[in-house]
Amino acid sequence: MRLAPLLAFSIVLAGCTTTPNIRTDYDHAANFAGYRTYGFPAETGTDRAGYSTLITGHFKRAVGREMEARGYRYDADKPDLLVNFFASSSDRTDVQSTPRVTFGAGYYSYRLGLYTVWPLYGRDVDTDHYKVGTASIDVVDAARKQLIWEGRAEGRLTKKMLDDPGQAVDKAVADIFLKYPVSKAAH
């Protein structure tokens, strides 16, 4: 019988873990089955000042795996779809104030009066500083120059993610593509 509260607490605690918030949207009129090839624009959203960044390489590998798993073939010259991606991070701060009730004031509580029955009210303030990362992927019909699908992941960045961005990009891209309208090996 004591196992039930422990199990409930574990489920609540598991729900507090940081998972990215994934949002997608797509053109419902697009015929995703009609596309066969994909490529990348000459300059992606993660490139800087005319050169390709390391993050660009991580995104290209991760997006390539996901697109090929869905039956698309890479074509650098004349792709049906162009896939672009963007990444950003921002600093966030959460402040949480919780009420606190104290009965007595430690060693000198006798100064409050011998028969004090009034509790002391205060607040505990917790401040949490952290980084939030956003990864966005756009899939564009290359012939029409029209966006047909977009996916976005936003979540708290951990030290592990900052130390190994390649693995973090792989995970974010895989999570985003779980909501892609074409399932794996559909072509």
Side-chain angles (χ1 to χ4, degrees):
M1 200 59 149
R2 292 183 183 181
L3 185 58
L6 182 59
L7 182 59
F9 178 71
S10 298
I11 291 170
V12 169
L13 191 60
C16 292
T17 61
T18 58
T19 57
N21 181 15
I22 308 293
R23 288 174 289 195
T24 63
D25 194 12
Y26 68 98
D27 179 355
H28 294 271
N31 178 12
F32 286 86
Y35 302 109
R36 299 282 176 230
T37 60
Y38 76 97
F40 301 104
E43 188 172 321
T44 67
T46 55
D47 291 340
R48 289 195 194 124
Y51 64 90
S52 183
T53 64
L54 295 173
I55 290 293
T56 298
H58 296 312
F59 268 101
K60 283 184 174 180
R61 283 187 292 281
V63 166
R65 271 193 302 276
E66 294 298 326
M67 293 296 283
E68 289 171 17
R70 284 159 180 77
Y72 297 106
R73 183 179 37 82
Y74 179 72
D75 182 349
D77 298 324
K78 194 163 171 35
D80 298 331
L81 298 171
L82 288 173
V83 184
N84 200 359
F85 33 82
F86 311 88
S88 66
S89 67
S90 61
D91 293 322
R92 297 264 175 96
T93 302
D94 285 340
V95 178
Q96 184 173 5
S97 176
T98 54
R100 174 179 34 90
V101 179
T102 305
F103 294 94
Y107 180 76
Y108 295 105
S109 64
Y110 68 90
R111 291 184 177 173
L112 296 175
L114 186 57
Y115 300 103
T116 299
V117 294
W118 301 103
L120 300 174
Y121 295 97
R123 292 196 125 1
D124 289 328
V125 177
D126 293 317
T127 304
D128 187 18
H129 301 281
Y130 58 95
K131 284 194 171 301
V132 171
T134 304
S136 301
I137 300 172
D138 291 347
V139 177
V140 175
D141 180 312
R144 295 184 309 142
K145 304 270 189 260
Q146 177 68 42
L147 180 72
I148 62 167
W149 183 81
E150 61 186 344
R152 178 182 177 121
E154 183 176 80
R156 190 176 194 144
L157 295 176
T158 64
K159 181 177 177 350
K160 182 180 177 184
M161 291 172 174
L162 295 170
D163 289 345
D164 187 2
Q167 186 176 0
V169 168
D170 283 348
K171 173 92 171 87
V173 169
D175 288 346
I176 292 168
F177 268 94
L178 286 174
K179 294 189 175 192
Y180 191 75
V182 177
S183 62
K184 291 188 176 197
H187 277 104

